Amino acid sequence: MGEWWTTVPIGTSLGNDEISSISHVTMSPSRQNNLVSMYSSLPPSRSSYHVLSSFCTEDNIPQCISYINQELDSLGLSSCIEASAPGGAGLSRVPALNAMHELMELHRRDMSTLEELEREQLKKCSALDHIQMNNSRLKDQLELSIREKSGLHETERQLQLKIKTMQSCLKTEKDEVQKLQSVVAGRASQYSHDAKRKEREAAKLKERLSQLLVDRKDKKLAIDVLNYLGRPDGKRSHWKTAKATVGHEGEMYKSLLNDYEVSQRSLMLENAELKKVLQQMKKEMIHVLSPRQPSPRGAAADDSQDQADSDEEEKPADSSRETLDQSCEYAKEQLANSIRQQWRKLRNHMEKLDSQASLVQSQLESNREMIPRETHKDEMERMRREVQQCKEFIHVQQQLLQQQLNTSFDDETAALLNDCYTLEEKERLKEEWRLFEEQKRNFERERKNFTEAAIRLGREKKAFEEDRASWLKNQFLNMTPFTDRRRCSSSDGQSALSIRSEPEMRMSSTKAQLAQSSTYTTFSTPKPSQSAAVPSTTELYRTLRLIPDSR
Amino acid sequence: MNFSEVFKQSNQLCKVSPDGKYLATCVQYRLVVRDVSTLQILQLYTCLDQISHMDWSSDSLFILCAMYKRGLVQVWSLEQPDWHCKIDEGSIGLVSSRWSPDGRHILNTTEFHLRVTVWSLCTKAVSYIKYPKACQKGIDFSRDGCYMALAERRDCKDYVSVFVCDDWHLLRHFETETQDLAGLEWSPNGCVLAVWDSCLEYKVLLYSLDGRLLSAYSAYEWSLGVKSVTWSPNSQFLAIGSYDEKVRILNHITWKKITQFEHPSSINNTKAVVYKEVEKRTAVGSDDLSLHITIGTALYNTRSKYEICPSPVQIPVVKPDPDRANPKIGVSSLAFSSDSRYLATKNDNMASVVWVWDMQKMSLVAVLEQTSAVRCFQWDPCRPRLALCTGNTTLYLWSPAGCVSVQVPTEGGFQVQSLNWHRSGDSLMLLGKEQLCLCYMDTDQEDK
């Protein structure tokens, strides 16, 4: 539309130059450029005229007019263009001019506002530049000041530190001053005390002196002895002579020398002892170090060399020690040096061993650490579980025990319960009793049998004795010429004897079981107690010769 | 342990003769001589005035009794009771009196220390020694009795004179490098003389018998210095106790410090045994009261025994008044046992504690904490046994085997204020304020 604006005035009677001058006056320089560039395209006015003519031709004048009126309306201008004659080709001049004027006014106003705006913008641009410059300057300043501030902080800190140290110094100085003050106070009090004492003494002296001067009767000092004593050692006292003086000096020096000699002797002994100890230590150190020699060949090469040297040194030294004075400077130095050397070697050796040991230890620990930790944990868990179980078990047991102890029984159930513990034993006991009873019964029975047998035996024995006696009698009688008469009686005896022998034999078998009286074969007449009653056991035994006859 | 009956004495003047056979005590103006074993009175002498000082001669034949107020000295003979000797110092006064080592001369120091008069009991000779110094210990005799060292002060300078006791010949006279000599002591072997300065300056000088300076030792400057000095019986060590609560030991070969013993208020040493005295008061029953009142015992029977305290132990410390002179701080008492094996020390601001140190190991062996301030302690002359007393009715004994406290069984409460061993180590003489009691050691029973 702007192009339309510029080109419209060209189409009217105003010339190009006038337009350009108007536009020169009203437009800003920047706009001027535009216009110039515009005008560079304008010289072929015909082309612009062609543009104009393309909008409005002879034919479409009323359309153009209506169109322009619309446009003017839209722009808010009151005037509008009329045609000079309806349907005519020309325009009425006045409204057209008015319209043009209004448009020009409008344009002028716009141009001025444009100028204003441009001016404003320029101003703002410059202000912005200015502010930006300021900003950057201030930023720089700020940075600088921040840096300064940190620098100052640093110095402040250092100063604070210095202050602290100064304060502590001051404190120590103060303490020292206090201490010194107290010392001074102590000394002052001591001095004053001494001074007072001396003053008192002086006063006493003065008093005494004045008293003496007044008194004038001097009490002579005297000694009053009944009789003088002899000297403690009984000798006479000597005159004080120069010889005596010298003698005293001599005595004094003698005693001093004695003392020195004694101390020197003891020191020498001590010295010898210590030397011996050192020698021994050295030998032992060599001994300790020597087994190590074969393994580290390289390192020990010079060691062994040194040692060999020292050994070599020692050997002649040892032999010469007897000849040399013990306190010979050289020997002493040598001993000290060799001890130091050996000690150094030993120390290095120990250090090496220590490092090795610590290395090994750390290795061991690192090895042990990884595996045992897990197993350690497992073990711990297991053990804990076990412990728990055991605890529970113990607890349960305790509870049961408590229960048992705590429940109150009546006597029967208590007795019953107590009985059940001894049930087994009771059964056993019963069994044994039973057996015992049985045995007893058996024994009784056998005893009875035995007694009966013994009685029977006694009787049979008696019968046998009678038979024997008769038989013997018969024999005896038979031996004599009177045998015939007695034959009949002996046969009786014999028959009796034979009859008797059987049960005897039977008896003897039983007897053999019961008694061992077979040894007692001497016949003797039984006791006359031939009662039908059962003889007593003792009598029985006596007959059977189980017990000796009562004597 | 047996206790004898209680005898009267005055002024703490009770001494056993050097040969150990007789006991001399002073009661006011009387001198009583008893036999040590039977305690029978052998002799009784009467002096002219109250006896201020009494001493035996070295051969146990004579006793001197000095009466300072009157300026008199009386000498008595044991063998011949009729023999008498009276020395009158006249108007010049008397401040101290002592025997010479040969037992035949008496040295009297006059008032104001104007001079020392040497009176001879054998001859009519009298000697004078001028300008003796008035100090803590100005005169010392060597142990063999040959030499006497005397401190002198002339023209504001200290000197030491060495005299031969035979004929009082001046052997050596030399100036000492001290500001204000406080004391001197011969070493037991008689070859070295230790000289120390007053407490304002820590300085210990060692001079040989012929007057050469062997060594000078100073531990520190400015603070109060030496309080006490003692030699070990074998002359190997010199123990110096000072106001800084430490004991420094010098050795006789180099005269340099070999160790120092400190007395801290809290003991952390686990090797040392700390014995603490614990008092148990058992009330006397009312029935007994009526009986006892007539005899006059205490209402409570205080029995004390030792308890062993586990470390760490806190020792009660009494801070002395800083403004007073001679403050009660520092090691004031030192004593070596007869075999030089042990050293017993007492620090004045821990007055109820005795510290026992082992000289072989150079470390603390035992600490004895009592309920009240220790008044006196002394080693048995024959064995390593320490007897101490604190002013109550108990006697305390320490030995490496243990500690024991023994009640002195006397009626009327005998407060033991000081004690002295008999030279045989078999008996102890206990001195109270006005009383004396002998304690006989039967067996060496010691329990903890």
PDB file of all heavy atoms in Angstrom, chain B residues 138-166:
ATOM      1  N   GLY B 138      76.136 -25.394 110.961  1.00  0.00           N
ATOM      2  CA  GLY B 138      77.408 -24.725 110.729  1.00  0.00           C
ATOM      3  C   GLY B 138      78.620 -25.557 111.091  1.00  0.00           C
ATOM      4  O   GLY B 138      79.719 -25.268 110.659  1.00  0.00           O
ATOM      5  N   ILE B 139      78.437 -26.573 111.882  1.00  0.00           N
ATOM      6  CA  ILE B 139      79.578 -27.400 112.315  1.00  0.00           C
ATOM      7  C   ILE B 139      79.247 -28.850 111.975  1.00  0.00           C
ATOM      8  O   ILE B 139      78.130 -29.305 112.212  1.00  0.00           O
ATOM      9  CB  ILE B 139      79.815 -27.291 113.834  1.00  0.00           C
ATOM     10  CG1 ILE B 139      80.099 -25.850 114.232  1.00  0.00           C
ATOM     11  CG2 ILE B 139      80.946 -28.185 114.268  1.00  0.00           C
ATOM     12  CD1 ILE B 139      80.369 -25.676 115.712  1.00  0.00           C
ATOM     13  N   ASP B 140      80.214 -29.561 111.424  1.00  0.00           N
ATOM     14  CA  ASP B 140      80.011 -30.990 111.235  1.00  0.00           C
ATOM     15  C   ASP B 140      81.341 -31.707 111.447  1.00  0.00           C
ATOM     16  O   ASP B 140      82.382 -31.260 110.964  1.00  0.00           O
ATOM     17  CB  ASP B 140      79.474 -31.288 109.837  1.00  0.00           C
ATOM     18  CG  ASP B 140      78.944 -32.697 109.724  1.00  0.00           C
ATOM     19  OD1 ASP B 140      78.419 -33.209 110.729  1.00  0.00           O
ATOM     20  OD2 ASP B 140      79.056 -33.300 108.649  1.00  0.00           O
ATOM     21  N   PHE B 141      81.251 -32.838 112.129  1.00  0.00           N
ATOM     22  CA  PHE B 141      82.433 -33.664 112.333  1.00  0.00           C
ATOM     23  C   PHE B 141      82.395 -34.819 111.355  1.00  0.00           C
ATOM     24  O   PHE B 141      81.330 -35.370 111.073  1.00  0.00           O
ATOM     25  CB  PHE B 141      82.449 -34.244 113.755  1.00  0.00           C
ATOM     26  CG  PHE B 141      82.628 -33.201 114.814  1.00  0.00           C
ATOM     27  CD1 PHE B 141      81.545 -32.721 115.524  1.00  0.00           C
ATOM     28  CD2 PHE B 141      83.888 -32.700 115.114  1.00  0.00           C
ATOM     29  CE1 PHE B 141      81.700 -31.755 116.501  1.00  0.00           C
ATOM     30  CE2 PHE B 141      84.057 -31.742 116.087  1.00  0.00           C
ATOM     31  CZ  PHE B 141      82.967 -31.260 116.778  1.00  0.00           C
ATOM     32  N   SER B 142      83.549 -35.208 110.835  1.00  0.00           N
ATOM     33  CA  SER B 142      83.555 -36.361 109.937  1.00  0.00           C
ATOM     34  C   SER B 142      83.330 -37.611 110.779  1.00  0.00           C
ATOM     35  O   SER B 142      83.530 -37.618 111.990  1.00  0.00           O
ATOM     36  CB  SER B 142      84.883 -36.452 109.180  1.00  0.00           C
ATOM     37  OG  SER B 142      85.932 -36.675 110.080  1.00  0.00           O
ATOM     38  N   ARG B 143      82.868 -38.656 110.081  1.00  0.00           N
ATOM     39  CA  ARG B 143      82.438 -39.839 110.814  1.00  0.00           C
ATOM     40  C   ARG B 143      83.575 -40.517 111.571  1.00  0.00           C
ATOM     41  O   ARG B 143      83.357 -41.085 112.637  1.00  0.00           O
ATOM     42  CB  ARG B 143      81.808 -40.836 109.855  1.00  0.00           C
ATOM     43  CG  ARG B 143      80.741 -41.675 110.525  1.00  0.00           C
ATOM     44  CD  ARG B 143      79.746 -42.182 109.555  1.00  0.00           C
ATOM     45  NE  ARG B 143      78.793 -41.176 109.143  1.00  0.00           N
ATOM     46  CZ  ARG B 143      77.658 -41.464 108.530  1.00  0.00           C
ATOM     47  NH1 ARG B 143      77.367 -42.707 108.259  1.00  0.00           N
ATOM     48  NH2 ARG B 143      76.843 -40.516 108.160  1.00  0.00           N
ATOM     49  N   ASP B 144      84.758 -40.458 111.021  1.00  0.00           N
ATOM     50  CA  ASP B 144      85.876 -41.079 111.737  1.00  0.00           C
ATOM     51  C   ASP B 144      86.418 -40.171 112.834  1.00  0.00           C
ATOM     52  O   ASP B 144      87.368 -40.533 113.527  1.00  0.00           O
ATOM     53  CB  ASP B 144      86.988 -41.448 110.751  1.00  0.00           C
ATOM     54  CG  ASP B 144      87.405 -40.246 109.911  1.00  0.00           C
ATOM     55  OD1 ASP B 144      86.916 -39.121 110.172  1.00  0.00           O
ATOM     56  OD2 ASP B 144      88.208 -40.417 108.987  1.00  0.00           O
ATOM     57  N   GLY B 145      85.818 -39.004 112.965  1.00  0.00           N
ATOM     58  CA  GLY B 145      86.209 -38.126 114.067  1.00  0.00           C
ATOM     59  C   GLY B 145      87.522 -37.408 113.869  1.00  0.00           C
ATOM     60  O   GLY B 145      88.061 -36.834 114.814  1.00  0.00           O
ATOM     61  N   CYS B 146      88.065 -37.410 112.674  1.00  0.00           N
ATOM     62  CA  CYS B 146      89.355 -36.772 112.479  1.00  0.00           C
ATOM     63  C   CYS B 146      89.243 -35.297 112.177  1.00  0.00           C
ATOM     64  O   CYS B 146      90.120 -34.524 112.549  1.00  0.00           O
ATOM     65  CB  CYS B 146      90.091 -37.428 111.312  1.00  0.00           C
ATOM     66  SG  CYS B 146      90.513 -39.113 111.639  1.00  0.00           S
ATOM     67  N   TYR B 147      88.224 -34.929 111.445  1.00  0.00           N
ATOM     68  CA  TYR B 147      88.165 -33.554 110.963  1.00  0.00           C
ATOM     69  C   TYR B 147      86.866 -32.890 111.351  1.00  0.00           C
ATOM     70  O   TYR B 147      85.832 -33.535 111.508  1.00  0.00           O
ATOM     71  CB  TYR B 147      88.310 -33.517 109.429  1.00  0.00           C
ATOM     72  CG  TYR B 147      89.557 -34.186 108.949  1.00  0.00           C
ATOM     73  CD1 TYR B 147      89.520 -35.452 108.381  1.00  0.00           C
ATOM     74  CD2 TYR B 147      90.799 -33.564 109.089  1.00  0.00           C
ATOM     75  CE1 TYR B 147      90.682 -36.071 107.962  1.00  0.00           C
ATOM     76  CE2 TYR B 147      91.952 -34.173 108.661  1.00  0.00           C
ATOM     77  CZ  TYR B 147      91.888 -35.433 108.109  1.00  0.00           C
ATOM     78  OH  TYR B 147      93.034 -36.040 107.689  1.00  0.00           O
ATOM     79  N   MET B 148      86.952 -31.584 111.485  1.00  0.00           N
ATOM     80  CA  MET B 148      85.750 -30.818 111.745  1.00  0.00           C
ATOM     81  C   MET B 148      85.666 -29.726 110.697  1.00  0.00           C
ATOM     82  O   MET B 148      86.660 -29.042 110.423  1.00  0.00           O
ATOM     83  CB  MET B 148      85.825 -30.172 113.135  1.00  0.00           C
ATOM     84  CG  MET B 148      84.655 -29.275 113.416  1.00  0.00           C
ATOM     85  SD  MET B 148      84.730 -28.502 115.024  1.00  0.00           S
ATOM     86  CE  MET B 148      85.577 -27.000 114.657  1.00  0.00           C
ATOM     87  N   ALA B 149      84.485 -29.580 110.130  1.00  0.00           N
ATOM     88  CA  ALA B 149      84.264 -28.499 109.170  1.00  0.00           C
ATOM     89  C   ALA B 149      83.412 -27.448 109.842  1.00  0.00           C
ATOM     90  O   ALA B 149      82.408 -27.768 110.480  1.00  0.00           O
ATOM     91  CB  ALA B 149      83.574 -29.045 107.929  1.00  0.00           C
ATOM     92  N   LEU B 150      83.815 -26.216 109.717  1.00  0.00           N
ATOM     93  CA  LEU B 150      83.103 -25.123 110.363  1.00  0.00           C
ATOM     94  C   LEU B 150      82.820 -24.054 109.326  1.00  0.00           C
ATOM     95  O   LEU B 150      83.698 -23.670 108.566  1.00  0.00           O
ATOM     96  CB  LEU B 150      83.967 -24.541 111.487  1.00  0.00           C
ATOM     97  CG  LEU B 150      83.382 -23.360 112.227  1.00  0.00           C
ATOM     98  CD1 LEU B 150      82.378 -23.844 113.250  1.00  0.00           C
ATOM     99  CD2 LEU B 150      84.472 -22.578 112.932  1.00  0.00           C
ATOM    100  N   ALA B 151      81.591 -23.577 109.321  1.00  0.00           N
ATOM    101  CA  ALA B 151      81.229 -22.524 108.378  1.00  0.00           C
ATOM    102  C   ALA B 151      81.508 -21.178 109.030  1.00  0.00           C
ATOM    103  O   ALA B 151      81.183 -20.969 110.199  1.00  0.00           O
ATOM    104  CB  ALA B 151      79.753 -22.635 108.019  1.00  0.00           C
ATOM    105  N   GLU B 152      82.115 -20.289 108.294  1.00  0.00           N
ATOM    106  CA  GLU B 152      82.423 -18.959 108.814  1.00  0.00           C
ATOM    107  C   GLU B 152      81.911 -17.905 107.868  1.00  0.00           C
ATOM    108  O   GLU B 152      81.720 -18.156 106.683  1.00  0.00           O
ATOM    109  CB  GLU B 152      83.951 -18.784 108.945  1.00  0.00           C
ATOM    110  CG  GLU B 152      84.570 -19.684 109.944  1.00  0.00           C
ATOM    111  CD  GLU B 152      86.083 -19.479 110.002  1.00  0.00           C
ATOM    112  OE1 GLU B 152      86.580 -18.488 109.444  1.00  0.00           O
ATOM    113  OE2 GLU B 152      86.765 -20.326 110.598  1.00  0.00           O
ATOM    114  N   ARG B 153      81.706 -16.747 108.432  1.00  0.00           N
ATOM    115  CA  ARG B 153      81.286 -15.643 107.578  1.00  0.00           C
ATOM    116  C   ARG B 153      82.067 -14.403 107.983  1.00  0.00           C
ATOM    117  O   ARG B 153      81.990 -13.947 109.128  1.00  0.00           O
ATOM    118  CB  ARG B 153      79.798 -15.370 107.724  1.00  0.00           C
ATOM    119  CG  ARG B 153      79.332 -14.349 106.704  1.00  0.00           C
ATOM    120  CD  ARG B 153      77.929 -14.637 106.220  1.00  0.00           C
ATOM    121  NE  ARG B 153      77.502 -13.623 105.272  1.00  0.00           N
ATOM    122  CZ  ARG B 153      77.190 -13.876 104.006  1.00  0.00           C
ATOM    123  NH1 ARG B 153      77.266 -15.100 103.560  1.00  0.00           N
ATOM    124  NH2 ARG B 153      76.801 -12.914 103.211  1.00  0.00           N
ATOM    125  N   ARG B 154      82.838 -13.954 107.037  1.00  0.00           N
ATOM    126  CA  ARG B 154      83.600 -12.728 107.286  1.00  0.00           C
ATOM    127  C   ARG B 154      83.384 -11.785 106.134  1.00  0.00           C
ATOM    128  O   ARG B 154      83.429 -12.222 104.995  1.00  0.00           O
ATOM    129  CB  ARG B 154      85.110 -13.045 107.272  1.00  0.00           C
ATOM    130  CG  ARG B 154      85.706 -13.615 108.471  1.00  0.00           C
ATOM    131  CD  ARG B 154      87.141 -13.968 108.118  1.00  0.00           C
ATOM    132  NE  ARG B 154      87.458 -15.287 108.582  1.00  0.00           N
ATOM    133  CZ  ARG B 154      88.331 -15.517 109.570  1.00  0.00           C
ATOM    134  NH1 ARG B 154      88.934 -14.527 110.169  1.00  0.00           N
ATOM    135  NH2 ARG B 154      88.582 -16.751 109.939  1.00  0.00           N
ATOM    136  N   ASP B 155      83.209 -10.538 106.394  1.00  0.00           N
ATOM    137  CA  ASP B 155      83.072  -9.526 105.333  1.00  0.00           C
ATOM    138  C   ASP B 155      82.060  -9.950 104.281  1.00  0.00           C
ATOM    139  O   ASP B 155      82.326  -9.852 103.081  1.00  0.00           O
ATOM    140  CB  ASP B 155      84.422  -9.293 104.625  1.00  0.00           C
ATOM    141  CG  ASP B 155      85.470  -8.819 105.581  1.00  0.00           C
ATOM    142  OD1 ASP B 155      85.108  -8.110 106.547  1.00  0.00           O
ATOM    143  OD2 ASP B 155      86.646  -9.169 105.369  1.00  0.00           O
ATOM    144  N   CYS B 156      80.933 -10.409 104.742  1.00  0.00           N
ATOM    145  CA  CYS B 156      79.849 -10.794 103.825  1.00  0.00           C
ATOM    146  C   CYS B 156      80.238 -11.903 102.859  1.00  0.00           C
ATOM    147  O   CYS B 156      79.690 -11.992 101.759  1.00  0.00           O
ATOM    148  CB  CYS B 156      79.357  -9.588 103.028  1.00  0.00           C
ATOM    149  SG  CYS B 156      78.928  -8.199 104.061  1.00  0.00           S
ATOM    150  N   LYS B 157      81.215 -12.703 103.278  1.00  0.00           N
ATOM    151  CA  LYS B 157      81.572 -13.836 102.405  1.00  0.00           C
ATOM    152  C   LYS B 157      81.609 -15.087 103.265  1.00  0.00           C
ATOM    153  O   LYS B 157      81.967 -15.032 104.450  1.00  0.00           O
ATOM    154  CB  LYS B 157      82.945 -13.609 101.772  1.00  0.00           C
ATOM    155  CG  LYS B 157      82.898 -12.637 100.588  1.00  0.00           C
ATOM    156  CD  LYS B 157      84.080 -12.822  99.694  1.00  0.00           C
ATOM    157  CE  LYS B 157      85.148 -11.845 100.125  1.00  0.00           C
ATOM    158  NZ  LYS B 157      85.460 -10.747  99.273  1.00  0.00           N
ATOM    159  N   ASP B 158      81.276 -16.206 102.620  1.00  0.00           N
ATOM    160  CA  ASP B 158      81.264 -17.470 103.354  1.00  0.00           C
ATOM    161  C   ASP B 158      82.593 -18.192 103.200  1.00  0.00           C
ATOM    162  O   ASP B 158      83.150 -18.253 102.101  1.00  0.00           O
ATOM    163  CB  ASP B 158      80.152 -18.385 102.811  1.00  0.00           C
ATOM    164  CG  ASP B 158      78.778 -17.877 103.170  1.00  0.00           C
ATOM    165  OD1 ASP B 158      78.594 -17.466 104.323  1.00  0.00           O
ATOM    166  OD2 ASP B 158      77.902 -17.897 102.295  1.00  0.00           O
ATOM    167  N   TYR B 159      83.032 -18.767 104.311  1.00  0.00           N
ATOM    168  CA  TYR B 159      84.250 -19.568 104.273  1.00  0.00           C
ATOM    169  C   TYR B 159      83.991 -20.871 104.982  1.00  0.00           C
ATOM    170  O   TYR B 159      83.064 -20.988 105.790  1.00  0.00           O
ATOM    171  CB  TYR B 159      85.407 -18.860 104.995  1.00  0.00           C
ATOM    172  CG  TYR B 159      85.816 -17.564 104.361  1.00  0.00           C
ATOM    173  CD1 TYR B 159      85.186 -16.378 104.724  1.00  0.00           C
ATOM    174  CD2 TYR B 159      86.841 -17.514 103.419  1.00  0.00           C
ATOM    175  CE1 TYR B 159      85.560 -15.175 104.147  1.00  0.00           C
ATOM    176  CE2 TYR B 159      87.211 -16.316 102.845  1.00  0.00           C
ATOM    177  CZ  TYR B 159      86.565 -15.152 103.207  1.00  0.00           C
ATOM    178  OH  TYR B 159      86.938 -13.968 102.631  1.00  0.00           O
ATOM    179  N   VAL B 160      84.821 -21.860 104.690  1.00  0.00           N
ATOM    180  CA  VAL B 160      84.774 -23.125 105.426  1.00  0.00           C
ATOM    181  C   VAL B 160      86.169 -23.377 105.969  1.00  0.00           C
ATOM    182  O   VAL B 160      87.154 -23.264 105.238  1.00  0.00           O
ATOM    183  CB  VAL B 160      84.340 -24.281 104.509  1.00  0.00           C
ATOM    184  CG1 VAL B 160      84.565 -25.631 105.186  1.00  0.00           C
ATOM    185  CG2 VAL B 160      82.875 -24.139 104.124  1.00  0.00           C
ATOM    186  N   SER B 161      86.212 -23.676 107.254  1.00  0.00           N
ATOM    187  CA  SER B 161      87.503 -24.032 107.859  1.00  0.00           C
ATOM    188  C   SER B 161      87.455 -25.497 108.228  1.00  0.00           C
ATOM    189  O   SER B 161      86.482 -25.969 108.809  1.00  0.00           O
ATOM    190  CB  SER B 161      87.747 -23.223 109.127  1.00  0.00           C
ATOM    191  OG  SER B 161      87.764 -21.863 108.833  1.00  0.00           O
ATOM    192  N   VAL B 162      88.523 -26.193 107.875  1.00  0.00           N
ATOM    193  CA  VAL B 162      88.625 -27.607 108.232  1.00  0.00           C
ATOM    194  C   VAL B 162      89.692 -27.737 109.301  1.00  0.00           C
ATOM    195  O   VAL B 162      90.830 -27.315 109.101  1.00  0.00           O
ATOM    196  CB  VAL B 162      88.984 -28.452 106.992  1.00  0.00           C
ATOM    197  CG1 VAL B 162      89.129 -29.910 107.380  1.00  0.00           C
ATOM    198  CG2 VAL B 162      87.938 -28.295 105.914  1.00  0.00           C
ATOM    199  N   PHE B 163      89.285 -28.294 110.454  1.00  0.00           N
ATOM    200  CA  PHE B 163      90.211 -28.442 111.577  1.00  0.00           C
ATOM    201  C   PHE B 163      90.518 -29.901 111.802  1.00  0.00           C
ATOM    202  O   PHE B 163      89.672 -30.765 111.569  1.00  0.00           O
ATOM    203  CB  PHE B 163      89.574 -27.911 112.864  1.00  0.00           C
ATOM    204  CG  PHE B 163      89.401 -26.428 112.862  1.00  0.00           C
ATOM    205  CD1 PHE B 163      88.222 -25.856 112.427  1.00  0.00           C
ATOM    206  CD2 PHE B 163      90.411 -25.596 113.320  1.00  0.00           C
ATOM    207  CE1 PHE B 163      88.048 -24.489 112.423  1.00  0.00           C
ATOM    208  CE2 PHE B 163      90.249 -24.227 113.330  1.00  0.00           C
ATOM    209  CZ  PHE B 163      89.064 -23.658 112.879  1.00  0.00           C
ATOM    210  N   VAL B 164      91.683 -30.165 112.256  1.00  0.00           N
ATOM    211  CA  VAL B 164      92.047 -31.513 112.674  1.00  0.00           C
ATOM    212  C   VAL B 164      91.657 -31.635 114.135  1.00  0.00           C
ATOM    213  O   VAL B 164      92.085 -30.841 114.962  1.00  0.00           O
ATOM    214  CB  VAL B 164      93.558 -31.750 112.511  1.00  0.00           C
ATOM    215  CG1 VAL B 164      93.925 -33.140 112.987  1.00  0.00           C
ATOM    216  CG2 VAL B 164      93.958 -31.539 111.077  1.00  0.00           C
ATOM    217  N   CYS B 165      90.830 -32.615 114.418  1.00  0.00           N
ATOM    218  CA  CYS B 165      90.280 -32.680 115.778  1.00  0.00           C
ATOM    219  C   CYS B 165      91.305 -33.062 116.824  1.00  0.00           C
ATOM    220  O   CYS B 165      91.099 -32.870 118.007  1.00  0.00           O
ATOM    221  CB  CYS B 165      89.134 -33.690 115.819  1.00  0.00           C
ATOM    222  SG  CYS B 165      87.726 -33.134 114.881  1.00  0.00           S
ATOM    223  N   ASP B 166      92.387 -33.618 116.404  1.00  0.00           N
ATOM    224  CA  ASP B 166      93.445 -33.992 117.358  1.00  0.00           C
ATOM    225  C   ASP B 166      93.929 -32.816 118.180  1.00  0.00           C
ATOM    226  O   ASP B 166      93.925 -32.854 119.395  1.00  0.00           O
ATOM    227  CB  ASP B 166      94.644 -34.555 116.584  1.00  0.00           C
ATOM    228  CG  ASP B 166      94.713 -36.044 116.757  1.00  0.00           C
ATOM    229  OD1 ASP B 166      93.866 -36.592 117.491  1.00  0.00           O
ATOM    230  OD2 ASP B 166      95.617 -36.650 116.178  1.00  0.00           O
TER     231      ASP B 166
END
